DNA sequence: GCATCGCCTTGACGCAGGTCAAGTCGTGGA
DNA sequence: TCCACGACTTGACCTGCGTCAAGGCGATGC
């Protein structure tokens, strides 16, 4: 089972494809081919339809999930009923790490926004890999640390910046990430508003204001052309 | 250097004390005595006076720091000048993990709130331990994951709850953590306000309101007696 | 022990953004 | 291709919280 094979070609066999899938996952980069094979053997890949809830508050969620294609929205609902979008995950990202060690009850929801290809790994298995292949743990640490950093930014933006500034910063970030001036929102405007700690009405008004200023141009509900990036940076 | 010693007694020699210090750090729990000794040899303990800045935005901060005694405030200052308190760390907590792998420039500030005993470990050393002792990485993952969870709570509270509710939840949390009805604020009210995404004026007004309702009693600037925990829970 | 600085409190006021409502439009599912 | 639901927009209103200001008090450092 765990003897290393000389060639690194994925080959044409059925799980060769699965192995190359695993090899492209950031947290497994740095593992050699034999280790990739071992993990691929324990992975359960699945095509998940759009709008399917992966887990919800109250669930005991025993899987670490890795997204190969598609996007997933992670949000939380407060005691008072407020829905807060926390982040949007895409190809290469993982979720479900919270209960990795102490399998606690989740207060998160995760829903697919598009059809998605997702691999599930049981927590016991992941824990085993983390102990045997420390580089996997190191990469996860780096990812979690980055995630903490952006959630901290979310806190200080919501607490300290006004609505226009938050919306502008979000658009600039999107444009920089995509390296394009015409961006497609990864989520609905309603969800963008929630992510930014705003109501949909306020987001709509600010975007309309930007459009009046000639800084952006909106097409349909999702596409925004950015006409003046510098003006947005200065908001 | 790395031969295991049979006895687990800290002994009376100078660095025996240092070893027992290291052994009490949560992320090093689970290591055996020989491993603890190895780490103790690389550790630089220091007594840091009150109000000393451990690192600031723009610093390249090459140390993971572990707090043995005392408390440390971590905050960030946004582009527009808003100061946001992110968390308060105490005995057993670590900080400086952000640049653990890619030594990026920090946008955080960390200041001691009391005199503190703090150990510094170079990132290269910690990285080495993480690769050799995966249980350390696992504990760090667990801690970071918990930290992410509470920062997410901070986001949804600031975005979704009104001022009174945030203040009440904060007091209830403090009382539960200390398991007492008379709590001492770990930070100034000004900092509590920042942590909760409020101005000091609003915090002061809400606390005065709670006192008018007979739910709390304030003594001096730091001590608050909680007279009606249930009422606070229902705010 | 005392002085001083900065924290805390209280008041008055204004406004950013939330709420409610109604109408339009886009989009995804059949 | 079409339909229907939900997302989005726009307007009017209003309130909670921030801002500015001034005074009292407490805690820190000498």
């Amino acid at each position: 089972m765990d003897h290393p094979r000389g060639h690194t070609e994925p080959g044409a066999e059925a799980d060769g494809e699965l192995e190359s899938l695993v090899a492209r996952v950031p947290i497994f980069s740095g593992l050699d081919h034999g280790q990739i094979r071992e993990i691929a053997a324990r992975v359960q890949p699945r095509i998940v339809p759009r709008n399917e809830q992966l887990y919800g508050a109250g669930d005991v969620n025993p899987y670490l999930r890795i997204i190969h294609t598609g996007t997933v929205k992670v949000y939380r609902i407060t005691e008072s009923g407020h829905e807060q979008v926390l982040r949007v995950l895409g190809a290469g990202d993982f979720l479900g790490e919270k209960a990795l060690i102490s399998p606690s009850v989740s207060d998160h929801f995760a829903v697919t926004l598009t059809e998605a290809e997702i691999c599930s790994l049981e927590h016991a298995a992941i824990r085993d890999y983390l102990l045997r292949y420390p580089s996997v743990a190191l990469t996860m640490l780096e990812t979690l640390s980055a995630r903490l950093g952006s959630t901290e930014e979310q806190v200080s933006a919501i607490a300290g910046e006004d609505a226009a500034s938050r919306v502008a910063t979000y658009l600039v970030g999107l444009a920089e990430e995509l390296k394009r001036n015409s961006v497609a929102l990864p989520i609905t405007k309603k969800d963008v508003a929630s992510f930014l700690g705003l109501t949909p009405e306020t987001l709509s008004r600010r975007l309309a204001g930007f459009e009046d200023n000639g800084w952006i141009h909106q097409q349909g509900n999702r596409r925004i052309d950015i006409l003046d990036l510098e003006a947005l940076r200065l908001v």
Side-chain angles (χ1 to χ4, degrees), chain A:
Chain A
M1 172 61 106
D2 53 357
H3 64 279
R5 295 205 305 183
H7 69 100
T8 54
E9 288 285 292
E13 69 270 25
D15 48 22
E17 201 181 339
L18 186 54
E19 284 172 33
S20 78
L21 216 64
V22 170
R24 282 198 303 272
V25 171
I27 59 170
F28 296 132
S29 69
L31 296 186
D32 67 32
H33 188 60
Q35 294 164 341
I36 296 282
R37 282 190 72 211
E38 184 198 339
I39 289 171
R42 293 279 289 274
V43 136
Q44 304 168 11
R46 187 163 85 87
I47 303 289
V48 182
R50 179 193 166 89
N51 286 330
E52 180 164 308
Q53 179 169 304
L54 295 175
Y55 58 84
D59 291 4
V60 185
N61 163 37
Y63 295 105
L64 183 87
R65 290 179 168 90
I66 296 170
I67 305 171
H68 291 298
T69 63
T71 55
V72 171
K73 173 179 85 168
V74 178
Y75 62 102
R76 117 188 258 279
I77 294 185
T78 64
E79 226 178 310
S80 64
H82 171 79
E83 174 178 328
Q84 178 66 47
V85 174
L86 295 170
R87 76 188 110 260
V88 176
L89 301 174
D93 291 325
F94 58 84
L95 66 161
E97 79 287 350
K98 201 168 180 186
L100 198 65
I101 291 167
S102 53
S104 60
V105 173
S106 170
D107 56 351
H108 284 63
F109 296 80
V111 186
T112 51
L113 295 176
T114 60
E115 183 178 88
E117 190 175 3
I118 293 178
C119 282
S120 294
L121 279 161
E122 286 185 12
H123 275 147
I126 260 291
R127 203 167 184 285
D128 182 51
Y129 299 144
L130 291 175
L131 287 171
R132 282 195 292 146
Y133 311 130
S135 80
V136 175
L138 221 58
T139 315
M140 275 191 77
L141 268 177
E142 191 175 21
T143 306
L144 273 191
S145 175
R147 214 173 268 186
L148 181 59
S150 46
T151 305
E152 286 169 354
E153 266 185 54
Q154 208 181 345
V155 168
S156 56
I158 293 176
E161 313 293 331
D162 65 13
S165 166
R166 281 180 259 169
V167 175
T169 303
Y170 179 77
L171 289 179
V172 171
L174 216 52
E176 283 174 350
E177 191 184 331
L178 302 176
K179 297 191 174 82
R180 304 190 54 194
N181 278 340
S182 175
V183 302
L185 300 178
I187 43 181
T188 64
K189 284 182 181 169
K190 186 184 159 164
D191 283 337
V192 173
S194 163
F195 179 74
L196 298 175
L198 299 171
T199 57
E201 291 93 329
T202 298
L203 175 62
S204 181
R205 279 185 246 273
R206 295 297 168 264
L207 287 175
F210 291 172
E211 196 155 19
D212 287 347
N213 293 343
W215 298 343
I216 65 170
H217 175 66
Q218 305 190 58
Q219 302 180 33
N221 279 343
R222 288 288 184 102
R223 180 149 297 277
I224 297 179
D225 296 330
I226 294 178
L227 307 176
D228 193 341
L229 200 62
E230 285 315 305
L232 290 176
R233 276 191 227 276
L234 295 176
V235 172

